[in-house]
PDB file of all heavy atoms in Angstrom:
ATOM      1  N   ILE A   7     153.975-114.898 -15.805  1.00  0.00           N
ATOM      2  CA  ILE A   7     153.235-116.042 -16.329  1.00  0.00           C
ATOM      3  C   ILE A   7     153.453-116.058 -17.834  1.00  0.00           C
ATOM      4  O   ILE A   7     153.204-115.067 -18.518  1.00  0.00           O
ATOM      5  CB  ILE A   7     151.729-115.935 -16.009  1.00  0.00           C
ATOM      6  CG1 ILE A   7     151.510-115.893 -14.503  1.00  0.00           C
ATOM      7  CG2 ILE A   7     150.962-117.089 -16.643  1.00  0.00           C
ATOM      8  CD1 ILE A   7     150.090-115.551 -14.097  1.00  0.00           C
ATOM      9  N   THR A   8     153.926-117.191 -18.352  1.00  0.00           N
ATOM     10  CA  THR A   8     154.120-117.354 -19.786  1.00  0.00           C
ATOM     11  C   THR A   8     153.182-118.444 -20.259  1.00  0.00           C
ATOM     12  O   THR A   8     153.182-119.551 -19.726  1.00  0.00           O
ATOM     13  CB  THR A   8     155.578-117.737 -20.107  1.00  0.00           C
ATOM     14  OG1 THR A   8     156.445-116.793 -19.495  1.00  0.00           O
ATOM     15  CG2 THR A   8     155.824-117.746 -21.602  1.00  0.00           C
ATOM     16  N   LEU A   9     152.389-118.116 -21.263  1.00  0.00           N
ATOM     17  CA  LEU A   9     151.329-118.993 -21.732  1.00  0.00           C
ATOM     18  C   LEU A   9     151.509-119.204 -23.231  1.00  0.00           C
ATOM     19  O   LEU A   9     151.769-118.245 -23.953  1.00  0.00           O
ATOM     20  CB  LEU A   9     150.007-118.292 -21.421  1.00  0.00           C
ATOM     21  CG  LEU A   9     148.710-118.938 -21.744  1.00  0.00           C
ATOM     22  CD1 LEU A   9     147.779-118.688 -20.576  1.00  0.00           C
ATOM     23  CD2 LEU A   9     148.115-118.348 -22.976  1.00  0.00           C
ATOM     24  N   PHE A  10     151.397-120.447 -23.698  1.00  0.00           N
ATOM     25  CA  PHE A  10     151.512-120.751 -25.123  1.00  0.00           C
ATOM     26  C   PHE A  10     150.176-121.243 -25.641  1.00  0.00           C
ATOM     27  O   PHE A  10     149.531-122.087 -25.025  1.00  0.00           O
ATOM     28  CB  PHE A  10     152.596-121.801 -25.359  1.00  0.00           C
ATOM     29  CG  PHE A  10     153.973-121.291 -25.077  1.00  0.00           C
ATOM     30  CD1 PHE A  10     154.553-121.447 -23.838  1.00  0.00           C
ATOM     31  CD2 PHE A  10     154.679-120.621 -26.063  1.00  0.00           C
ATOM     32  CE1 PHE A  10     155.813-120.958 -23.575  1.00  0.00           C
ATOM     33  CE2 PHE A  10     155.947-120.133 -25.809  1.00  0.00           C
ATOM     34  CZ  PHE A  10     156.518-120.303 -24.566  1.00  0.00           C
ATOM     35  N   SER A  11     149.786-120.701 -26.799  1.00  0.00           N
ATOM     36  CA  SER A  11     148.479-121.013 -27.363  1.00  0.00           C
ATOM     37  C   SER A  11     148.560-121.084 -28.882  1.00  0.00           C
ATOM     38  O   SER A  11     149.400-120.432 -29.504  1.00  0.00           O
ATOM     39  CB  SER A  11     147.484-119.930 -26.957  1.00  0.00           C
ATOM     40  OG  SER A  11     146.307-120.030 -27.688  1.00  0.00           O
ATOM     41  N   LEU A  17     141.324-115.134 -26.459  1.00  0.00           N
ATOM     42  CA  LEU A  17     142.133-115.612 -25.343  1.00  0.00           C
ATOM     43  C   LEU A  17     142.628-114.467 -24.466  1.00  0.00           C
ATOM     44  O   LEU A  17     142.780-114.631 -23.256  1.00  0.00           O
ATOM     45  CB  LEU A  17     143.318-116.433 -25.863  1.00  0.00           C
ATOM     46  CG  LEU A  17     144.057-117.264 -24.827  1.00  0.00           C
ATOM     47  CD1 LEU A  17     143.110-118.216 -24.106  1.00  0.00           C
ATOM     48  CD2 LEU A  17     145.163-118.050 -25.473  1.00  0.00           C
ATOM     49  N   THR A  21     141.996-114.505 -20.417  1.00  0.00           N
ATOM     50  CA  THR A  21     143.062-114.409 -19.415  1.00  0.00           C
ATOM     51  C   THR A  21     142.899-113.156 -18.560  1.00  0.00           C
ATOM     52  O   THR A  21     143.104-113.199 -17.346  1.00  0.00           O
ATOM     53  CB  THR A  21     144.460-114.415 -20.069  1.00  0.00           C
ATOM     54  OG1 THR A  21     144.526-113.390 -21.045  1.00  0.00           O
ATOM     55  CG2 THR A  21     144.759-115.747 -20.707  1.00  0.00           C
ATOM     56  N   TYR A  46     151.271-118.610 -30.335  1.00  0.00           N
ATOM     57  CA  TYR A  46     151.251-117.311 -29.672  1.00  0.00           C
ATOM     58  C   TYR A  46     151.845-117.479 -28.280  1.00  0.00           C
ATOM     59  O   TYR A  46     151.566-118.467 -27.596  1.00  0.00           O
ATOM     60  CB  TYR A  46     149.824-116.780 -29.540  1.00  0.00           C
ATOM     61  CG  TYR A  46     149.225-116.352 -30.849  1.00  0.00           C
ATOM     62  CD1 TYR A  46     148.467-117.231 -31.605  1.00  0.00           C
ATOM     63  CD2 TYR A  46     149.415-115.066 -31.321  1.00  0.00           C
ATOM     64  CE1 TYR A  46     147.910-116.834 -32.808  1.00  0.00           C
ATOM     65  CE2 TYR A  46     148.863-114.657 -32.524  1.00  0.00           C
ATOM     66  CZ  TYR A  46     148.115-115.553 -33.265  1.00  0.00           C
ATOM     67  OH  TYR A  46     147.579-115.161 -34.451  1.00  0.00           O
ATOM     68  N   ARG A  47     152.662-116.514 -27.873  1.00  0.00           N
ATOM     69  CA  ARG A  47     153.215-116.516 -26.519  1.00  0.00           C
ATOM     70  C   ARG A  47     152.684-115.295 -25.783  1.00  0.00           C
ATOM     71  O   ARG A  47     152.891-114.167 -26.198  1.00  0.00           O
ATOM     72  CB  ARG A  47     154.738-116.476 -26.542  1.00  0.00           C
ATOM     73  CG  ARG A  47     155.316-116.560 -25.127  1.00  0.00           C
ATOM     74  CD  ARG A  47     156.802-116.423 -25.109  1.00  0.00           C
ATOM     75  NE  ARG A  47     157.104-114.999 -25.252  1.00  0.00           N
ATOM     76  CZ  ARG A  47     158.269-114.534 -25.657  1.00  0.00           C
ATOM     77  NH1 ARG A  47     159.219-115.336 -26.013  1.00  0.00           N
ATOM     78  NH2 ARG A  47     158.474-113.232 -25.740  1.00  0.00           N
ATOM     79  N   PHE A  48     151.996-115.532 -24.695  1.00  0.00           N
ATOM     80  CA  PHE A  48     151.476-114.473 -23.841  1.00  0.00           C
ATOM     81  C   PHE A  48     152.417-114.346 -22.649  1.00  0.00           C
ATOM     82  O   PHE A  48     152.751-115.348 -22.022  1.00  0.00           O
ATOM     83  CB  PHE A  48     150.085-114.826 -23.311  1.00  0.00           C
ATOM     84  CG  PHE A  48     149.002-114.852 -24.345  1.00  0.00           C
ATOM     85  CD1 PHE A  48     148.991-115.796 -25.350  1.00  0.00           C
ATOM     86  CD2 PHE A  48     147.974-113.933 -24.297  1.00  0.00           C
ATOM     87  CE1 PHE A  48     147.986-115.824 -26.288  1.00  0.00           C
ATOM     88  CE2 PHE A  48     146.954-113.959 -25.228  1.00  0.00           C
ATOM     89  CZ  PHE A  48     146.973-114.902 -26.228  1.00  0.00           C
ATOM     90  N   THR A  49     152.834-113.145 -22.328  1.00  0.00           N
ATOM     91  CA  THR A  49     153.664-112.902 -21.155  1.00  0.00           C
ATOM     92  C   THR A  49     152.932-111.908 -20.273  1.00  0.00           C
ATOM     93  O   THR A  49     152.658-110.785 -20.691  1.00  0.00           O
ATOM     94  CB  THR A  49     155.049-112.362 -21.557  1.00  0.00           C
ATOM     95  OG1 THR A  49     155.623-113.264 -22.507  1.00  0.00           O
ATOM     96  CG2 THR A  49     155.964-112.253 -20.358  1.00  0.00           C
ATOM     97  N   ILE A  50     152.623-112.328 -19.050  1.00  0.00           N
ATOM     98  CA  ILE A  50     151.858-111.514 -18.111  1.00  0.00           C
ATOM     99  C   ILE A  50     152.684-111.365 -16.835  1.00  0.00           C
ATOM    100  O   ILE A  50     153.152-112.370 -16.276  1.00  0.00           O
ATOM    101  CB  ILE A  50     150.504-112.181 -17.782  1.00  0.00           C
ATOM    102  CG1 ILE A  50     149.748-112.519 -19.066  1.00  0.00           C
ATOM    103  CG2 ILE A  50     149.680-111.297 -16.869  1.00  0.00           C
ATOM    104  CD1 ILE A  50     148.656-113.542 -18.882  1.00  0.00           C
ATOM    105  N   MET A  66     144.350-121.115 -15.874  1.00  0.00           N
ATOM    106  CA  MET A  66     144.653-120.765 -17.263  1.00  0.00           C
ATOM    107  C   MET A  66     144.959-122.004 -18.099  1.00  0.00           C
ATOM    108  O   MET A  66     144.643-122.038 -19.285  1.00  0.00           O
ATOM    109  CB  MET A  66     145.819-119.783 -17.321  1.00  0.00           C
ATOM    110  CG  MET A  66     145.452-118.388 -16.899  1.00  0.00           C
ATOM    111  SD  MET A  66     146.868-117.293 -17.019  1.00  0.00           S
ATOM    112  CE  MET A  66     146.127-115.745 -16.529  1.00  0.00           C
ATOM    113  N   GLU A  67     145.572-123.015 -17.501  1.00  0.00           N
ATOM    114  CA  GLU A  67     145.869-124.241 -18.244  1.00  0.00           C
ATOM    115  C   GLU A  67     144.607-125.021 -18.597  1.00  0.00           C
ATOM    116  O   GLU A  67     144.623-125.842 -19.496  1.00  0.00           O
ATOM    117  CB  GLU A  67     146.832-125.127 -17.453  1.00  0.00           C
ATOM    118  CG  GLU A  67     148.256-124.644 -17.526  1.00  0.00           C
ATOM    119  CD  GLU A  67     149.248-125.599 -16.885  1.00  0.00           C
ATOM    120  OE1 GLU A  67     148.872-126.329 -15.935  1.00  0.00           O
ATOM    121  OE2 GLU A  67     150.396-125.600 -17.335  1.00  0.00           O
ATOM    122  N   ILE A  69     141.997-123.672 -19.906  1.00  0.00           N
ATOM    123  CA  ILE A  69     141.428-123.088 -21.120  1.00  0.00           C
ATOM    124  C   ILE A  69     141.830-123.963 -22.305  1.00  0.00           C
ATOM    125  O   ILE A  69     143.005-124.317 -22.455  1.00  0.00           O
ATOM    126  CB  ILE A  69     141.911-121.631 -21.319  1.00  0.00           C
ATOM    127  CG1 ILE A  69     141.493-120.763 -20.130  1.00  0.00           C
ATOM    128  CG2 ILE A  69     141.372-121.063 -22.625  1.00  0.00           C
ATOM    129  CD1 ILE A  69     142.083-119.356 -20.167  1.00  0.00           C
ATOM    130  N   VAL A  72     144.899-123.203 -24.631  1.00  0.00           N
ATOM    131  CA  VAL A  72     146.214-123.079 -24.000  1.00  0.00           C
ATOM    132  C   VAL A  72     146.922-124.429 -24.013  1.00  0.00           C
ATOM    133  O   VAL A  72     146.393-125.425 -23.552  1.00  0.00           O
ATOM    134  CB  VAL A  72     146.079-122.564 -22.544  1.00  0.00           C
ATOM    135  CG1 VAL A  72     147.416-122.571 -21.838  1.00  0.00           C
ATOM    136  CG2 VAL A  72     145.478-121.172 -22.545  1.00  0.00           C
ATOM    137  N   PHE A  73     148.145-124.447 -24.593  1.00  0.00           N
ATOM    138  CA  PHE A  73     148.951-125.666 -24.597  1.00  0.00           C
ATOM    139  C   PHE A  73     149.670-125.854 -23.272  1.00  0.00           C
ATOM    140  O   PHE A  73     149.643-126.911 -22.679  1.00  0.00           O
ATOM    141  CB  PHE A  73     149.991-125.628 -25.722  1.00  0.00           C
ATOM    142  CG  PHE A  73     149.392-125.749 -27.076  1.00  0.00           C
ATOM    143  CD1 PHE A  73     149.595-124.761 -28.022  1.00  0.00           C
ATOM    144  CD2 PHE A  73     148.640-126.842 -27.430  1.00  0.00           C
ATOM    145  CE1 PHE A  73     149.056-124.872 -29.277  1.00  0.00           C
ATOM    146  CE2 PHE A  73     148.089-126.969 -28.691  1.00  0.00           C
ATOM    147  CZ  PHE A  73     148.300-125.975 -29.618  1.00  0.00           C
ATOM    148  N   LYS A  74     150.356-124.803 -22.830  1.00  0.00           N
ATOM    149  CA  LYS A  74     151.151-124.890 -21.604  1.00  0.00           C
ATOM    150  C   LYS A  74     151.269-123.508 -20.995  1.00  0.00           C
ATOM    151  O   LYS A  74     151.315-122.509 -21.700  1.00  0.00           O
ATOM    152  CB  LYS A  74     152.545-125.436 -21.941  1.00  0.00           C
ATOM    153  CG  LYS A  74     153.356-125.862 -20.764  1.00  0.00           C
ATOM    154  CD  LYS A  74     152.785-127.085 -20.094  1.00  0.00           C
ATOM    155  CE  LYS A  74     153.676-127.502 -18.934  1.00  0.00           C
ATOM    156  NZ  LYS A  74     153.058-128.396 -18.028  1.00  0.00           N
ATOM    157  N   CYS A  75     151.324-123.462 -19.677  1.00  0.00           N
ATOM    158  CA  CYS A  75     151.433-122.212 -18.943  1.00  0.00           C
ATOM    159  C   CYS A  75     152.529-122.378 -17.894  1.00  0.00           C
ATOM    160  O   CYS A  75     152.525-123.357 -17.148  1.00  0.00           O
ATOM    161  CB  CYS A  75     150.091-121.904 -18.286  1.00  0.00           C
ATOM    162  SG  CYS A  75     149.950-120.262 -17.605  1.00  0.00           S
ATOM    163  N   TYR A  76     153.487-121.443 -17.865  1.00  0.00           N
ATOM    164  CA  TYR A  76     154.604-121.505 -16.922  1.00  0.00           C
ATOM    165  C   TYR A  76     154.572-120.310 -15.991  1.00  0.00           C
ATOM    166  O   TYR A  76     154.197-119.216 -16.377  1.00  0.00           O
ATOM    167  CB  TYR A  76     155.948-121.515 -17.657  1.00  0.00           C
ATOM    168  CG  TYR A  76     156.235-122.802 -18.356  1.00  0.00           C
ATOM    169  CD1 TYR A  76     156.156-122.897 -19.733  1.00  0.00           C
ATOM    170  CD2 TYR A  76     156.591-123.936 -17.640  1.00  0.00           C
ATOM    171  CE1 TYR A  76     156.423-124.085 -20.382  1.00  0.00           C
ATOM    172  CE2 TYR A  76     156.861-125.129 -18.282  1.00  0.00           C
ATOM    173  CZ  TYR A  76     156.780-125.195 -19.650  1.00  0.00           C
ATOM    174  OH  TYR A  76     157.039-126.373 -20.278  1.00  0.00           O
TER     175      TYR A  76
END
Side-chain angles (χ1 to χ4, degrees):
I7 300 170
T8 307
L9 181 138
F10 292 93
S11 168
L17 194 56
T21 54
Y46 289 93
R47 183 184 78 200
F48 292 67
T49 306
I50 307 161
M66 286 181 178
E67 282 187 331
I69 300 173
V72 174
F73 290 122
K74 193 68 178 164
C75 191
Y76 288 106

